[in-house]
Amino acid sequence: MAKNFSSREEDYSKWYNDLVIKAGLAENSAVRGCMVIKPYGYAIWEKMQRALDDMFKATGHQNAYFPLFIPKSFFSKEAAHVEGFAKECAVVTHYRLKNSPDGKGVVVDEEARLEEELIIRPTSETIIWDTYRNWIQSYRDLPLLVNQWANVVRWEMRTRLFLRTAEFLWQEGHTAHATRDEAIAETEQMLRVYATFAEQWMALPVLQGIKSPNERFAGAVETYCIEALMQDGKALQAGTSHFLGQNFARAFDVKFLNKSNELEHVWATSWGVSTRLMGALVMAHSDDNGLVLPPKLAPLQVVIVPIYKKVEQLDEIAVVARSIMDDLRARGISVKFDDDDSQKPGWKFNEYEFKGVPVRLAIGPRDIENGTVEVARRDTLEKEVLQLTDIGHKIQHLLENIQDNLYQKALTFRDASTHKADSWQEFNDILDQRGGFVLAHWDGSPETEQLIKEETKATIRLIPLNAREEKGVCIRTGKPSERRVVFARAY
RNA sequence: CGGGGUAUAGCGUAGUCCGGUUAGCGCGCCUGCUUUGGGAGCAGGAGGUCGUAAGUUCGAAUCUUACUACCCCGACCA
């Protein structure tokens, strides 16, 4: 399965594509730009969902579900919003098919044209705010803290599995608040939730900050984001949290009576992460031997491979394996005993390695004799022989160790790939030779950002939260600047 | 959406330029025996309307046209 697998060095983007397909995470479908997420990939997504959903609930949010279709007229109510999404909307115009006159297949029934065309949601702000108008009358109805897990469609020109697909899965939180400060606090809180999830579950260090006006969400007052660095030195936006001000409340006429009996527009936020995180996970940790998954998100955390010649030996091994499995499962660790006789151990070693299973145990006749087990860890590919005594505890500890190691490794890589640039020459050299994050001064104008993007393909990934004041001059124009911002070439 | 490329068995491919036996090979799959501490060996076997649709021709995987999908490079974007 892993034969003919490209290395990162040879062709990073082919490596990524091969890995996603050959490890059974996803594949392209019969529909252009849309992927099929396969069971192994979906199992990882389910673990992500579970962890995030628990964090949303713990911060007081509830799940709900809004329609896939949005009346076209809703879209035009918020000017910046329609401007941002109009070019990539799928539109439903008819509701019926009929047999083709020539008898071959079916055609759209032109008589069944919709009176008002429907947009397939690229995001749900409009339908949600149209709904919230009826839910909110008083300050007592606030805050309104709702999340939905859904699919959305953005008609992308060029797609890549998980990183950019026409249809993708995500969650979108939509909250309403009585005050500006409370809405901003919510926006920042959810950004921290995302950062915590990325770091503690995905073992992925992220920068936190706000987007420049050019990169801001269509309809937002401020867009906060977490940004991660991939192994090829390109940045990837891993999550966004938007302070929407009163833009959507005004567009959809959502008002509430405050304690002084005055009518006010509510303050809004929205925030989301998508199946794009799957792409980030793959690109952050995996190597030329295949996937490397952090234990907390691995569908299977431990696999036990028996090594035997005779059936009687397998029986002996199975007894030991079952006792290890009981121990691990009692600790909440997922484990599989692969006693499939149709594949040899060597084949299984490679297979589980390719699929990124964090820990592999091998038990053979020698181990039975000595009361030992061979333990192999996926992140470093190291093997050691351990006594069976207290094995559950040792493996639990090892899994925690792997989780930490992956994070540290990614953090070390990011730190080594982050550079300051103080001249235009230096800026270009870093981008061309090393990639990574470049900390540089910018004069704050959208025009300069656009110019830099056109000349270098690098964009401002974020302006760090609580950025240290540091006087300097813009890397491109030489105009004065108050602080450094983070540039990178990005996915 | 513009430029370039690709499409032959589950996967990878030969054959296409220059039309002509039964479309070949490797991996995988099925059966049997031997094997099993890093992708096993031998023997036998199954599996193809050559991406789709038209056209040219006595004859099309091969030539022509259109369409579809995927890959690379741009523009756009989570």
Side-chain angles (χ1 to χ4, degrees):
Chain A
M1 180 167 254
K3 286 173 185 169
N4 305 318
F5 175 52
S6 350
S7 71
R8 289 165 293 180
E9 184 72 22
E10 276 166 8
D11 186 342
Y12 191 85
S13 100
K14 188 171 192 299
W15 166 82
Y16 171 79
N17 221 21
D18 284 358
L19 187 47
V20 169
I21 291 168
K22 290 179 177 170
L25 300 182
E27 62 189 30
N28 286 304
S29 71
V31 184
R32 178 220 284 271
C34 295
M35 64 180 165
V36 173
I37 304 176
K38 298 181 75 176
Y40 194 58
Y42 202 79
I44 298 171
W45 175 241
E46 284 180 312
K47 288 200 131 189
M48 290 182 169
Q49 279 186 300
R50 170 67 69 91
L52 285 163
D53 202 61
D54 286 348
M55 293 167 96
F56 299 157
K57 302 277 170 60
T59 42
H61 302 85
Q62 290 181 297
N63 284 331
Y65 188 78
F66 294 84
L68 170 69
F69 302 116
I70 297 176
K72 196 176 71 177
S73 60
F74 283 20
F75 242 81
S76 46
K77 291 191 178 182
E78 213 290 328
H81 193 65
V82 67
E83 167 75 21
F85 285 106
K87 286 168 295 195
E88 51 185 14
C89 284
V91 185
V92 179
T93 56
H94 293 78
Y95 59 85
R96 192 163 63 213
L97 298 172
K98 62 178 182 183
N99 288 322
S100 167
D102 65 9
K104 295 174 186 171
V106 290
V107 294
V108 171
D109 185 344
E110 289 299 338
E111 289 177 16
R113 178 167 268 279
L114 288 171
E115 242 174 76
E116 178 172 6
E117 290 162 346
L118 298 169
I119 310 299
I120 299 180
R121 61 180 168 218
T123 180
S124 302
E125 274 78 3
T126 57
I127 185 89
I128 285 178
W129 281 91
D130 184 74
T131 308
Y132 280 3
R133 181 175 56 245
N134 302 317
W135 291 5
I136 298 168
Q137 279 105 39
S138 147
Y139 69 91
R140 293 171 202 270
D141 298 321
L142 299 173
L144 183 56
L145 306 173
V146 173
N147 175 67
Q148 87 163 339
W149 289 96
N151 59 337
V152 287
V153 169
R154 295 179 188 175
W155 213 260
E156 298 291 347
M157 294 302 156
R158 222 173 128 184
T159 59
R160 294 192 68 189
L161 293 168
F162 289 120
L163 298 173
R164 179 164 295 109
T165 47
E167 179 192 15
F168 57 91
L169 305 184
W170 78 345
Q171 58 70 217
E172 45 182 326
H174 296 274
T175 69
H177 306 265
T179 67
R180 182 176 195 277
D181 287 351
E182 191 184 302
I184 291 175
E186 164 78 3
T187 310
E188 292 176 347
Q189 170 185 243
M190 298 322 288
L191 187 77
R192 283 195 301 275
V193 164
Y194 289 154
T196 301
F197 172 76
E199 293 178 350
Q200 294 187 3
W201 291 79
M202 297 175 68
L204 183 65
V206 291
L207 296 179
Q208 302 179 50
I210 59 169
K211 286 293 187 191
S212 65
N214 283 6
E215 303 276 327
R216 194 178 285 154
F217 174 74
V221 172
E222 200 79 270
T223 287
Y224 293 66
C225 66
I226 54 171
E227 202 79 20
L229 193 64
M230 303 295 101
Q231 292 181 68
D232 62 346
K234 286 171 82 174
L236 184 122
Q237 178 174 306
T240 49
S241 183
H242 314 291
F243 169 57
L244 302 173
Q246 294 172 308
N247 290 350
F248 284 91
R250 276 196 288 268
F252 289 89
D253 195 31
V254 185
K255 295 173 183 167
F256 72 104
L257 277 171
N258 64 22
K259 288 179 184 173
S260 317
N261 201 34
E262 297 160 343
L263 212 48
E264 281 187 65
H265 282 115
V266 303
W267 297 83
T269 83
S270 69
W271 28 274
V273 294
S274 72
T275 36
R276 180 176 238 210
L277 289 178
M278 295 286 296
L281 189 71
V282 171
M283 288 200 292
H285 305 304
S286 299
D287 61 23
D288 295 345
N289 294 309
L291 281 182
V292 176
L293 298 174
K296 283 183 171 183
L297 293 177
L300 179 63
Q301 295 168 307
V302 178
V303 64
I304 304 175
V305 177
I307 295 155
Y308 59 95
K309 292 184 177 162
K310 299 169 191 154
V311 183
E312 304 82 67
Q313 290 175 316
L314 177 60
D315 292 342
E316 282 184 278
I317 292 165
V319 172
V320 177
R322 277 191 210 103
S323 106
I324 294 175
M325 284 195 288
D326 288 345
D327 188 345
L328 292 179
R329 283 177 181 152
R331 295 167 189 272
I333 295 167
S334 57
V335 53
K336 170 183 166 184
F337 176 48
D338 186 354
D339 59 355
D340 177 1
D341 191 42
S342 67
Q343 298 296 354
K344 291 183 63 176
W347 189 91
K348 293 177 186 176
F349 290 175
N350 282 285
E351 180 69 8
Y352 290 111
E353 222 159 78
F354 193 74
K355 292 215 153 190
V357 177
V359 171
R360 180 188 72 232
L361 307 181
I363 306 173
R366 285 208 299 269
D367 298 299
I368 296 297
E369 202 168 312
N370 302 331
T372 58
V373 57
E374 182 192 81
V375 180
R377 53 187 289 176
R378 177 61 183 90
D379 60 338
T380 61
L381 297 172
E382 290 164 344
K383 290 192 283 196
E384 61 180 330
V385 175
L386 296 182
Q387 290 295 320
L388 278 173
T389 320
D390 215 14
I391 192 68
H393 178 258
K394 290 174 186 165
I395 289 169
Q396 184 171 33
H397 185 74
L398 177 61
L399 287 168
E400 289 163 8
N401 186 273
I402 292 172
Q403 182 83 29
D404 290 345
N405 179 52
L406 287 175
Y407 177 79
Q408 281 306 327
K409 207 170 146 188
L411 183 61
T412 302
F413 172 78
R414 190 191 72 186
D415 288 347
S417 306
T418 302
H419 301 97
K420 283 186 181 178
D422 289 309
S423 73
W424 185 238
Q425 183 64 48
E426 200 180 353
F427 185 80
N428 280 279
D429 287 349
I430 293 170
L431 284 174
D432 290 339
Q433 287 159 25
R434 295 183 278 196
F437 288 129
V438 186
L439 312 178
H441 282 282
W442 162 59
D443 64 22
S445 81
E447 293 74 23
T448 303
E449 180 179 7
Q450 187 61 31
L451 192 63
I452 293 173
K453 183 179 177 183
E454 282 162 15
E455 292 177 350
T456 67
K457 291 180 186 168
T459 49
I460 296 174
R461 299 320 302 158
L462 54 76
I463 301 158
L465 288 181
N466 311 318
R468 203 157 45 83
E469 294 287 314
E470 178 192 321
K471 299 266 186 222
V473 294
C474 175
I475 202 83
R476 180 64 183 77
T477 63
K479 291 179 185 168
S481 153
E482 298 297 317
R483 67 186 64 77
R484 287 178 189 270
V485 299
V486 179
F487 284 91
R489 293 197 178 125
Y491 277 97

